[in-house]
Amino acid sequence: MIKQAFFQGKNKRRRYFEGWYFKCISADRKHAIAIIPGMAIDPQGEKQAFIQVINAVNGKTWYHHFSYSEFKARSNRFDVEIENNSFNAEGLSLNVETREGSIKGRLTFEQIHPFPRGAKHPGIMGPFGIIPFMECYHAIIHLYHEIKGVIELDGEILDFNGGVGYIEKDYGRSFPKTYLWLQASHFEDGNASFVFSRANIPFLGFEFPGFFAYFTDFKAITRRFATYNFSRVEKWEVDTEKGTCAGELEGPNGSLAFSAQMAGGGRLRAPLDGLMDREIIESITAKVWVRLTNNQGDIIFESSSNEAGMEICMDEAVVSNQESQP
């Protein structure tokens, strides 16, 4: 089984990227940042390392560029180093001082809830996660963890003691041309984790719409909806101008309805054939509503979150679909 959290790019020579995404929310909800260490190789084989940062409060972003010689990552465990910065499942340590700005401090992670993996479900992408030549692979590492520590971001002290976080990663050639991504861990009715993504996926000269959704309350409720387990998108609507989306999913164990609204957001660099030249807008203070219903029509969870991650990259201003899709 592929350990997707580990470094996958050891033998890559061109058109490749790999990045780990750490979302951190403070206990008082006043601070929300995402930190993305990674590497990329362009079509000519030139390599680079980077650390991206987004501050949700003001939408400011930083792209710290490093020589690839400063990048070290293990292929037999989750362990990444870039110059004087380190990232792993137990925490992260930052000591960045570049012309773009500075970020320093250390965060440690406790009460970790990793994404469940096994022979039947090797990852959030299911069997697509082990098929070669996919444009982009997505992996969830931590659904939820608690945070201890403080970060200094351009001179501002951000206290994350008692906060919570989330880790995922992407690797491959490029982000999908058209996709939507949502992730939330803070709900008004208690801690839970919800992630959803839908994209047009190129494969062997064709293109097909694929999606996955995962929800757990870390207690009695866990549901997975995905193309590969024969779930369906019954309703779907996206408005890129308004920054909204809504959908209804039907799966083997019930249905899931959700809606989301972008709030704020900053510009991040994303990969295109290994070039970190594409710009995307990401919010980590989006508003998300989720309702989960069992096969008998009973509502088993319904709540909202104001600290959700959200990205919309669509060709059309409004995309809607009222028909079932595989």
Side-chain angles (χ1 to χ4, degrees):
M1 184 186 301
I2 298 173
K3 303 289 188 181
Q4 291 180 296
F6 305 170
F7 183 47
Q8 305 294 314
K10 181 179 179 180
N11 299 315
K12 301 297 183 181
R13 298 291 178 261
R14 56 178 54 86
R15 292 185 172 90
Y16 184 78
F17 79 95
E18 192 159 348
W20 294 258
Y21 176 95
F22 293 75
K23 179 184 174 186
C24 307
I25 310 290
S26 65
D28 58 11
R29 313 289 178 89
K30 292 182 179 179
H31 306 304
I33 64 172
I35 303 163
I36 310 167
M39 55 79 71
I41 314 174
D42 70 17
Q44 285 71 47
E46 184 174 344
K47 300 180 179 181
Q48 64 163 297
F50 60 84
I51 298 174
Q52 294 198 73
V53 182
I54 178 170
N55 184 345
V57 175
N58 55 21
K60 185 176 179 181
T61 59
W62 296 256
Y63 187 90
H64 302 284
H65 179 273
F66 298 87
S67 167
Y68 189 75
S69 62
E70 301 291 343
F71 177 84
K72 298 178 178 62
R74 303 286 294 270
S75 56
N76 60 352
R77 71 182 187 190
F78 177 18
D79 189 2
V80 180
E81 294 182 12
I82 302 176
E83 202 172 68
N84 298 317
N85 308 274
S86 62
F87 310 86
N88 55 52
E90 289 74 42
L92 57 85
S93 179
L94 295 160
N95 187 15
V96 177
E97 189 78 52
T98 70
R99 62 183 182 183
E100 287 79 19
S102 66
I103 180 169
K104 301 178 181 180
R106 176 166 178 77
L107 303 179
T108 57
F109 307 147
E110 301 177 347
Q111 302 298 318
I112 295 169
H113 293 269
F115 185 81
R117 302 174 70 246
K120 187 176 179 181
H121 297 296
I124 190 60
M125 291 180 66
F128 294 109
I130 58 176
I131 295 176
F133 312 119
M134 298 289 285
E135 178 185 51
C136 183
Y137 298 90
H138 186 84
I140 299 174
I141 302 171
H142 288 180
L143 287 164
Y144 174 94
H145 57 240
E146 296 179 3
I147 303 174
K148 286 186 177 179
V150 174
I151 293 292
E152 181 181 341
L153 181 60
D154 274 0
E156 180 185 3
I157 302 299
L158 311 181
D159 186 348
F160 287 99
N161 284 294
V164 302
Y166 166 88
I167 309 175
E168 66 175 31
K169 73 175 291 189
D170 292 281
Y171 59 100
R173 297 189 309 276
S174 306
F175 271 13
K177 181 181 178 182
T178 301
Y179 73 94
L180 184 141
W181 169 82
L182 297 172
Q183 188 279 323
S185 302
H186 301 71
F187 286 89
E188 294 176 359
D189 292 340
N191 291 327
S193 184
F194 168 65
V195 61
F196 169 83
S197 184
R198 190 175 197 237
N200 286 342
I201 302 169
F203 184 68
L204 298 178
F206 298 93
E207 189 173 273
F208 67 93
F211 76 94
F212 61 73
Y214 187 88
F215 177 89
T216 180
D217 66 353
F218 307 113
K219 297 175 185 176
I221 305 171
T222 297
R223 294 290 188 275
R224 185 189 300 250
F225 302 82
T227 305
Y228 54 81
N229 75 350
F230 305 106
S231 297
R232 304 181 307 279
V233 179
E234 294 289 354
K235 295 184 180 179
W236 176 248
E237 185 171 326
V238 176
D239 190 322
T240 58
E241 294 181 355
K242 295 180 179 178
T244 62
C245 74
E248 292 186 15
L249 312 177
E250 292 287 342
N253 298 309
S255 62
L256 187 150
F258 64 92
S259 62
Q261 169 72 65
M262 290 279 283
R267 295 183 179 274
L268 293 176
R269 295 195 200 181
L272 179 62
D273 263 350
L275 286 165
M276 297 298 293
D277 289 346
R278 182 181 177 186
E279 280 194 346
I280 60 173
I281 304 296
E282 178 177 321
S283 169
I284 48 176
T285 54
K287 299 179 180 180
V288 171
W289 166 82
V290 173
R291 184 183 65 213
L292 195 65
T293 307
N294 64 19
N295 283 333
Q296 289 71 46
D298 303 318
I299 297 173
I300 56 176
F301 182 89
E302 184 173 9
S303 190
S304 300
S305 170
N306 292 328
E307 286 84 26
M310 184 173 185
E311 296 173 6
I312 301 178
C313 295
M314 297 284 177
D315 290 336
E316 301 85 2
V318 178
V319 181
S320 64
N321 175 28
Q322 300 295 326
E323 298 179 357
S324 300
Q325 290 195 16

